[in-house]
Amino acid sequence: MTNDIFGARAGFRQALAAEWIKFRSVRSTVWTTAATAVVPIAGAVFVAATGSLQDDDTVIGGSLTLAVVAQMLAAVVGAMTITGEYGSGTIRTTLAANPSRGTVVAAKATLVAGLMYVIALVSCSLAVLAGDALLPARYPTGEPLPALLGIAGSFAVAGLLGLAVGTLVRHSAGAVTTVIGLLLLPSLFGPLFGDARRWIAGLSPTAALEKLTQTSDATAETVGSLGPWPSLWLVAGCTAALLLVAAGALRRRDV
């Protein structure tokens, strides 16, 4: 039993190392990841330069105005992590080298979640610092901590959502369209569900992100009335369930 355990661990480490090599070898994935890191900072500078922050907003809310765009890019990165392999046909090589498909999905999920979390935490922290330095002192700062930890977590969840959708759809354009729809549609259609809107409208990483950034645009009608952290945990749970479904589909289907 000991040898089986150590073998499983070695298999995961090897799979994770292989995923990292593949990830940084694909130009489109690297550039999209770089854009995910740059967009929040650029947004903070733009808001400060144009003086477009609303009077009832906070520094953290204004500084992270483009965080939603960056989060969409994180979801696209997650989808591309696997759809790129389907497009090139290298998924066959991946699964031939590591027949344990659950291990392959776990390695991809670990890489995507870890990378998106770190990138978002650094990028959004720098954006808030830039906004604090550039925006007029009359705006309240808000509460950057622990909000920034949750914001980074919402990026990781978005990346995992993209990975789950990409595993199910197996086509880049279809996966990107689907995951962006999953990010935006709950907030658009939530108000149509009456008393259930607090659940429906908040059922996306984007809704949790907007609440955590403390933006004045995050009203109950648009992002649900759940608090920011309960919303994040709800979305994380739903994403984990979808990822398990995707892993099961990968095990059952032919490549």
Side-chain angles (χ1 to χ4, degrees), residues 82 86 163-171 242 245-247 249-250 253:
I82 190 164
Y86 277 109
L163 175 62
V165 172
T167 304
L168 291 169
V169 176
R170 301 190 291 182
H171 185 273
L242 184 61
V245 171
L250 181 62
R253 292 187 307 203

Side-chain angles (χ1 to χ4, degrees), residues 5-200:
I5 293 174
F6 278 97
R9 288 180 179 175
F12 175 77
R13 288 197 298 268
Q14 292 168 357
L16 184 59
E19 292 302 327
W20 171 238
I21 292 172
K22 288 185 289 184
F23 187 93
R24 58 190 176 87
S25 300
V26 179
R27 188 174 302 174
S28 59
T29 307
V30 172
W31 280 108
T32 307
T33 302
T36 304
V38 170
V39 165
I41 302 171
V45 174
F46 178 81
V47 168
T50 58
S52 55
L53 187 61
Q54 300 178 36
D55 292 335
D56 59 346
D57 220 329
T58 62
V59 170
I60 182 174
S63 300
L64 297 179
T65 296
L66 294 187
V68 170
V69 176
Q71 189 188 62
M72 292 180 190
L73 292 173
V76 171
V77 170
M80 291 170 57
T81 301
I82 190 164
T83 58
E85 290 198 62
Y86 277 109
S88 63
T90 55
I91 189 68
R92 297 183 179 89
T93 304
T94 296
L95 298 181
N98 191 342
S100 177
R101 299 188 178 192
T103 301
V104 171
V105 174
K108 289 181 180 294
T110 300
L111 176 65
V112 169
L115 194 58
M116 291 302 104
Y117 187 92
V118 171
I119 287 175
L121 184 60
V122 173
S123 176
C124 292
S125 296
L126 290 175
V128 172
L129 289 174
D132 192 43
L134 297 174
L135 288 169
R138 69 175 183 274
Y139 293 106
T141 302
E143 298 180 2
L145 291 175
L148 283 167
L149 301 178
I151 289 167
S154 75
F155 274 68
V157 171
L160 292 177
L161 181 62
L163 175 62
V165 172
T167 304
L168 291 169
V169 176
R170 301 190 291 182
H171 185 273
S172 294
V176 169
T177 302
T178 301
V179 74
I180 291 178
L182 290 175
L183 289 175
L184 296 179
L185 290 181
S187 295
L188 294 176
F189 288 100
L192 302 179
F193 289 85
D195 293 339
R197 71 184 181 192
R198 63 177 302 189
W199 301 99
I200 303 299

